[in-house]
Amino acid sequence: MRDTILRDVKFELAHDEQGRLYNAGMRKLMGNLKFDTDAVEALAALRMAGKTLHHLQDKWAEIHGLTEGRLALMFRLFRCGPTPLGGLAEDLDSTPRNITGLVDNLERDGLVERVPDPDDRRSVRAVLTDAGKARIEAIWQEGLERQFEMVKGFSKDDLAQLRHLCLLLVENARKELGK
C-alpha cells in the first residue's frame, strides 16, 4: 500500500508565495495532516535531488565505460596519488570490501594497480596506471564542467548555504545513527 501511495505522488514542481520551488504532488499528499510538513517536504526534496544526481553521475560514468564508484576511485587517485586501500574506503565513505572490488575491476581493466606501501609492509596502495591516468585526464575537465552546469544560476552565497545545510543534515543524521 505504501508503495502505491508513493507511486501516486506526482512530481509536479510549483512555486510558493516567495517564488521557491516545491513538489505540488507531495504537498497534496501531505495536505490533510495535522502538523507542519515543512521538514518532510524538505527531506523528500533532498532525497529526490540525491537520487537524481546519483543517476546523472552513473549515466555520465557509463558513457566513459565506468561505474560511478570506479570513476570516483580513479578521480581520487588522480588527485591524491597512490593511496592505501583503507584510505580510499575512508575518503570515499565506502567499505573496504567495496573498495577491494572496485580496485579488482579497475586492475583487471588495466587502469589501476596495487603496489606495496613503502611506509607499511602490511599495507597495499592503489595507483593509476599510465592507461588510467590517460583515461582520467581525458574526462576530468568535462566532469567539472558538468558539475558547474548543475549549479548554474546559484550565487556563491547559495552554494555556501547549500553546502552548509547538507553538511548540517549529515551531522544530525550521524548523531541520530549513533543513538
Side-chain angles (χ1 to χ4, degrees), residues 131-160:
K133 286 177 191 168
R135 184 90 160 266
I136 284 297
E137 285 172 352
I139 63 176
W140 80 272
Q141 187 64 42
E142 180 187 349
L144 287 176
E145 289 167 8
R146 286 179 178 259
Q147 289 182 47
F148 293 137
E149 190 65 31
M150 293 304 305
V151 295
K152 193 180 222 175
F154 287 41
S155 69
K156 282 187 130 336
D157 286 340
D158 291 340
L159 293 171

Side-chain angles (χ1 to χ4, degrees), residues 2 6-7 9 25 30 33 38 42 45 51 62 65 70 79 81 85 88 94 111 113 129 141 158 160-161 170:
R2 179 182 168 276
L6 291 176
R7 221 176 303 128
V9 174
M30 306 298 278
L33 296 176
D38 287 350
K51 279 184 168 184
E62 189 177 314
R70 291 177 196 173
R79 298 299 307 150
L85 301 189
L88 287 169
S94 188
L111 301 171
E113 65 182 344
T129 63
Q141 187 64 42
D158 291 340
Q161 185 69 356
V170 168

Side-chain angles (χ1 to χ4, degrees), residues 4-23:
T4 303
I5 291 171
L6 291 176
R7 221 176 303 128
D8 291 341
V9 174
K10 301 273 190 274
F11 179 66
E12 303 168 20
L13 290 182
H15 290 86
D16 66 14
E17 308 79 42
Q18 288 83 27
R20 295 176 297 212
L21 288 169
Y22 69 94
N23 182 345

Side-chain angles (χ1 to χ4, degrees), residues 49-157:
K51 279 184 168 184
T52 303
L53 290 171
H54 170 71
H55 289 304
L56 279 171
Q57 182 73 11
D58 222 19
K59 183 179 173 184
W60 186 70
E62 189 177 314
I63 289 168
H64 295 284
L66 298 165
T67 64
E68 182 182 13
R70 291 177 196 173
L71 185 63
L73 191 142
M74 289 179 70
F75 273 133
R76 176 64 64 177
L77 293 175
F78 181 66
R79 298 299 307 150
C80 299
T83 306
L85 301 189
L88 287 169
E90 230 175 78
D91 293 347
L92 297 172
D93 196 26
S94 188
T95 64
R97 182 179 181 173
N98 189 45
I99 295 300
T100 298
L102 292 171
V103 171
D104 286 346
N105 285 299
L106 289 166
E107 195 169 34
R108 182 198 67 222
D109 294 342
L111 301 171
V112 168
E113 65 182 344
R114 288 177 169 91
V115 296
D117 187 329
D119 301 325
D120 182 354
R121 290 186 302 152
R122 297 168 293 156
S123 182
V124 174
R125 292 182 182 219
V127 62
L128 287 173
T129 63
D130 289 340
K133 286 177 191 168
R135 184 90 160 266
I136 284 297
E137 285 172 352
I139 63 176
W140 80 272
Q141 187 64 42
E142 180 187 349
L144 287 176
E145 289 167 8
R146 286 179 178 259
Q147 289 182 47
F148 293 137
E149 190 65 31
M150 293 304 305
V151 295
K152 193 180 222 175
F154 287 41
S155 69
K156 282 187 130 336
D157 286 340

